[in-house]
Amino acid sequence: MKYDVLQIIGMVLVGIAGQSAFRLLVDHGDTGLLGGLGGFPVVLTGYLAVTAAGVLLAGWSHTRATALGRRK
């Protein structure tokens, strides 16, 4: 159950941060949730880092659940 929740959290991070990074690339003025960090390169790096963390978290938790026999 723990790995299911972690995988869901990872997928949500990927969805939100990935969409925000794409939106920032299209409209440089729309900084979204991380707008207070600084300028365009800082915010874009922040969104890409959160997206990468979400991918890693979802992949790791899926691998752990597979090793425990919860996935095929």
Side-chain angles (χ1 to χ4, degrees):
M1 181 74 174
K2 172 175 67 171
Y3 296 116
D4 298 331
V5 172
L6 289 175
Q7 188 173 3
I8 290 169
I9 290 171
M11 290 185 296
V12 168
L13 285 175
V14 169
I16 291 174
Q19 176 188 8
S20 298
F22 186 75
R23 185 182 63 234
L24 182 63
L25 287 172
V26 172
D27 181 12
H28 296 313
D30 190 7
T31 56
L33 294 172
L34 300 180
L37 289 179
F40 172 76
V42 175
V43 174
L44 181 60
T45 302
Y47 282 130
L48 294 178
V50 172
T51 303
V55 167
L56 291 174
L57 179 62
W60 175 80
S61 59
H62 178 75
T63 302
R64 293 298 302 152
T66 303
L68 293 175
R70 304 231 16 210
R71 308 267 193 286
K72 293 183 179 180

